[in-house]
Amino acid sequence: AEQPYGAPVTERAIPTAIWQAEAETKRNFLRRWLKSPGLDEAEMDIRKILDWGYYKDRLGKTIQKIITIPAALQKVPNPVPRVPHPDWLDSKVQQINDKFQQRSIT
C-alpha cells in the first residue's frame, strides 16, 4: 500500500485476507492498517490503495534482468526502450566493444 507515507515497504504490505473479508470488517481493518481513520468507501478500492510506483519499479527491474541486460551483452539494441539500461551496463558494453582491447594470444 502507498499509505502510511514514509513507512518501510515491509510495514505497508496489506494481508490478502483483508480483501476477502466482509465489507464492514474490511473497512475497519483497512482504516487501522493504513492509519487513516477518515478513509471513505470510494478510497477503499484496491487500485487507489496500491503503491503503483513501487510495482512499476519492480517490473522495470525484472524486465532489465530478463530482457535488456542480456540483450545489451549480446550487442543487441535495447528491445524495451521504456526501460533504460542501468548505469553500470554502459561501461560494460563499452568494454566489450573496445577496438583497442588486447586479444588473447592463446
Side-chain angles (χ1 to χ4, degrees), residues 8-46:
V9 175
T10 54
E11 291 179 14
R12 294 183 290 157
I14 299 174
T16 56
I18 290 177
W19 300 108
Q20 298 165 353
E22 296 176 15
E24 187 61 36
T25 308
K26 179 171 81 169
R27 187 178 315 118
N28 185 20
F29 276 107
L30 281 176
R31 285 182 180 151
R32 195 178 321 161
W33 198 269
L34 299 175
K35 296 179 181 157
S36 181
L39 203 64
D40 63 347
E41 194 67 36
E43 295 172 339
M44 293 211 185
D45 184 24
I46 191 168

Side-chain angles (χ1 to χ4, degrees), residues 20-89:
Q20 298 165 353
E22 296 176 15
E24 187 61 36
T25 308
K26 179 171 81 169
R27 187 178 315 118
N28 185 20
F29 276 107
L30 281 176
R31 285 182 180 151
R32 195 178 321 161
W33 198 269
L34 299 175
K35 296 179 181 157
S36 181
L39 203 64
D40 63 347
E41 194 67 36
E43 295 172 339
M44 293 211 185
D45 184 24
I46 191 168
R47 289 170 279 188
K48 293 186 179 187
I49 291 176
L50 281 179
D51 185 4
W52 290 107
Y54 170 77
Y55 287 107
K56 211 171 167 182
D57 186 48
R58 293 269 314 252
L59 179 64
K61 288 181 182 180
T62 304
I63 290 172
Q64 280 180 343
K65 289 177 191 173
I66 297 172
I67 299 171
T68 63
I69 293 173
L73 295 176
Q74 295 174 21
K75 301 178 184 179
V76 175
N78 190 353
V80 188
R82 282 194 257 171
V83 180
H85 288 307
D87 298 333
W88 62 267
L89 188 59

Side-chain angles (χ1 to χ4, degrees), residues 94-106:
Q94 286 175 357
Q95 197 176 37
I96 292 172
N97 295 333
D98 188 13
K99 294 178 188 176
F100 301 110
Q101 186 177 14
Q102 184 175 351
R103 304 268 183 227
S104 176
I105 298 176
T106 59

